[in-house]
Amino acid sequence: MSRRPTMHDVARIAGVSAKTVSRVVNNETPVDPLTRARVQQAIAELGFRRNEQARSLRPGQTSALIGLVTGDLGNPFYSAIARGIEDVAHRRGHLLLTTSSDERPDRERQLIDALLQHNIEGLIIVPTLGQHDYLSPAFLRGLPVVAVDRPVHTHPPLDTVLLDNRHGAALAVTSLLQAGHTRVAVIDGESAVFTGAERIAGYHDAHRQQKVTPDATLLRQGFHGETQAETAMTDLLDLPAPPTAVFATNNRIAIGALNGMHRRKHWIPLAVFDDFDLAGMLPTPVTVVAYDAVEMGRQAAELLFARLDGLSADPQVRTLPVTVHQRGPGNLAVN
Amino acid sequence: MSRRPTMHDVARIAGVSAKTVSRVVNNETPVDPLTRARVQQAIAELGFRRNEQARSLRPGQTSALIGLVTGDLGNPFYSAIARGIEDVAHRRGHLLLTTSSDERPDRERQLIDALLQHNIEGLIIVPTLGQHDYLSPAFLRGLPVVAVDRPVHTHPPLDTVLLDNRHGAALAVTSLLQAGHTRVAVIDGESAVFTGAERIAGYHDAHRQQKVTPDATLLRQGFHGETQAETAMTDLLDLPAPPTAVFATNNRIAIGALNGMHRRKHWIPLAVFDDFDLAGMLPTPVTVVAYDAVEMGRQAAELLFARLDGLSADPQVRTLPVTVHQRGPGNLAVN
DNA sequence: ATGAAAGCGCTAACAG
DNA sequence: CTGTTAGCGCTTTCAT
């Protein structure tokens, strides 16, 4: 198997110097049209492809590589973000290196290190819980970084793309309160997670605004995954005074809560931050907070490229809108 | 902002030559333990990180980069595959470049080209429909390639990881036939897609084996997305002699079919190739064919690394098992 | 309009 | 055990 052809190989075939090949490949001027044609002919003949690693080694050149760290690419929320980033990156002639931290800060740090060794031009990160001192200027050496979904506290602050968690949650819970519910339970995941905390704040905002006092015993936090959420739901339904509606702070929790209702054959209206298939087919009304995760990725990538282009001055925080929809049977009222 | 430190910078601080730094960084012998310590000290002081692009420029060195092309990273099926690949790649010290073809052959080709320019060591691809002459040895120059989910016909053939589509579909449809159904409809997507064709073959296998003659008018193909599948379902239910059960060849089609049943308030048992949330909570029994997409990715990556390690001889086709589960109300029988 | 030389950061081969 | 030299493929600078 023959060695991959270089510019020198092309140059030899075309009877020109490597520099002229370089000019043709990069559409630089001046090159005589006939020379250009000869070179292009030779390129086609050999199947030459420029070596990006060699190119980007030169000072002043860039790698055309963007790095992404999320908790788990297998999670559709994260992969939608990745897709949005990829869209913009592709349009800008960049490729995306994707990695998954498993939500572990040590692995996150290691991945960022690996990405830096590959000379990424910029980094987009859905930060794990924990300290991010390795997002400091000293560690990053001026690498532009954009945070998505969760803020990260650094000096100076980073460009950030968030959802309107608090407002979306408030809207969804308000729809329950306005239907007459006064005992709305909450099932949340890991209590230290930013998005969950914001959504719970929104729950409280709604109560305050609707002048309903929430019952603290109905607020359940720290549940990982569907199975735990299911138990939380059955526990709530087994209370002497069970809730008449429930707010799930995310998708997975909602699925667990629904499994719990199904198990107890006791259905109460559900509000949930996240949309999901078949929400409209359930035996109880579902109020969903929907958003565009792909768009989050796009916006993050656009912030990143703006900074690479030197267009950004101060770090920006963009908060993306969410929408609320009623799914399933129309009547939200208390049974 | 100071320039990123190089091995020479480290060498100067540690009072050694660049080659010695290289030896330390690569854990090569022999290096005097004291020298090694001095160098490590200097590395820490400067925050030195080896430049992977420069390293991999040397002949005999590799880029530690793997490329992936799927139809759409935002699709959870593909992103699960990506996650599986990433797992193995990370364990092997490799990073993954992910790209989405939008199922367009021209874009697929362009992405492969871009990946090759970045000197990927191997490529994993969920191939689009269409000719793949650009997966020929001439184009790839010996680059190892693994196909996932769909085979691709090249000479020589590629390593391939598939699901047991035909058998899984047969099992699911058999459960309907054994419950007494004789009019089982099929809703399928793009008819040229390999997986759909295999699953329909499984549908016919089941009928043959159960000695039931399928009604060709109940076989509907070429539907894109949920909305079209929903229409296909309502059309079927509106027939003078509607089906008593339906087989959906994938997830999205199943959601559409369920929406159709919901709209007509006419529920019939569903079999579907793919598992999904809330399948157990619907008003009709659901038979799902489940599988592990992350594992598909892992196996693909393992085939790739086996080839990079020079361990593989002939191209392999691995067919991964699927499992069938009953969800929802227990009774599959004809209404 | 084109080419020669130098060097990006790293490591293989060879000296010492 | 350590250092020197050379060169991977490309592009910048400066000649021609």
Side-chain angles (χ1 to χ4, degrees), chain A residues 172 246-251 254 270-276 286-289:
Chain A
V246 61
F247 173 51
T249 57
N250 69 50
N251 205 308
L270 171 73
V272 44
F273 203 108
D274 274 336
D275 202 352
F276 54 95
V286 177
T287 305
V288 303
V289 182

Side-chain angles (χ1 to χ4, degrees), chain B residues 7 22 26 50-51 54 58 61:
Chain B
M7 283 192 176
S22 171
N26 296 299
R50 179 176 62 184
N51 183 330
R58 297 304 320 271
Q61 301 285 336

Side-chain angles (χ1 to χ4, degrees), chain A residues 64-82:
Chain A
L65 254 27
I66 299 294
L68 173 66
V69 184
T70 71
D72 175 12
L73 227 219
N75 177 326
F77 173 66
Y78 293 134
S79 68
I81 292 172

Side-chain angles (χ1 to χ4, degrees), chain A residues 34-304:
Chain A
L34 273 72
T35 311
R36 183 177 295 273
R38 269 212 328 286
V39 170
Q40 276 160 343
Q41 162 70 24
I43 286 174
E45 208 167 291
L46 290 176
F48 167 80
R49 263 186 288 263
R50 181 175 60 186
N51 183 328
E52 282 296 310
Q53 316 221 90
R55 185 190 55 73
S56 71
L57 201 55
R58 297 305 318 271
Q61 301 285 337
T62 58
S63 66
L65 254 27
I66 299 294
L68 173 66
V69 184
T70 71
D72 175 12
L73 227 219
N75 177 326
F77 173 66
Y78 293 134
S79 68
I81 292 172
R83 180 52 154 107
I85 296 168
E86 211 184 70
D87 272 356
V88 177
H90 182 257
R91 211 156 43 220
R92 300 280 305 234
H94 282 61
L95 288 175
L96 182 66
L97 284 162
T98 49
T99 64
S100 300
S101 70
D102 280 332
E103 306 287 357
R104 279 167 30 207
D106 58 328
R107 179 158 167 168
E108 179 182 81
R109 187 199 160 110
Q110 184 207 336
L111 289 169
I112 293 174
D113 221 62
L115 291 168
L116 286 170
Q117 295 196 189
H118 283 268
N119 291 343
I120 52 169
E121 285 181 57
L123 174 68
I124 298 178
I125 178 170
V126 181
T128 61
L129 287 176
Q131 293 304 309
H132 290 84
D133 44 331
Y134 48 92
L135 291 180
S136 68
F139 190 84
L140 296 172
R141 294 178 187 288
L143 183 87
V145 180
V146 178
V148 184
D149 189 48
R150 310 166 194 166
V152 46
H153 303 293
T154 58
H155 300 282
L158 302 179
D159 288 319
T160 304
V161 179
L162 303 174
L163 289 177
D164 199 352
N165 292 290
R166 187 163 178 168
H167 182 58
L171 287 175
V173 172
T174 296
S175 73
L176 295 174
L177 298 178
Q178 285 181 337
H181 294 275
T182 57
R183 299 182 53 70
V184 179
V186 179
I187 309 179
D188 184 30
E190 174 68 64
S191 65
V193 171
F194 169 80
T195 48
E198 286 290 298
R199 292 165 194 180
I200 286 178
Y203 166 91
H204 285 115
D205 290 346
H207 281 74
R208 212 173 303 117
Q209 211 220 316
Q210 297 295 315
K211 311 213 191 304
V212 177
T213 305
D215 178 345
T217 63
L218 299 181
L219 202 159
R220 307 295 169 101
Q221 285 186 282
F223 299 98
H224 295 277
E226 283 170 40
T227 318
Q228 289 192 17
E230 178 175 339
T231 307
M233 187 74 242
T234 52
D235 286 354
L236 283 164
L237 293 175
D238 292 343
L239 287 174
T244 62
V246 61
F247 173 51
T249 57
N250 69 50
N251 205 308
R252 303 323 300 165
I253 300 260
I255 302 295
L258 289 166
N259 283 331
M261 295 187 211
H262 185 246
R263 160 121 50 125
R264 285 289 182 270
K265 307 251 180 301
H266 180 170
W267 296 91
I268 61 179
L270 171 73
V272 44
F273 203 108
D274 274 336
D275 202 352
F276 54 95
D277 287 329
L278 307 181
M281 241 166 268
L282 298 167
T284 193
V286 177
T287 305
V288 303
V289 182
Y291 53 83
D292 186 345
V294 175
E295 182 62 20
M296 284 183 86
R298 277 195 210 106
Q299 302 247 352
E302 265 153 22
L303 285 177
L304 187 67

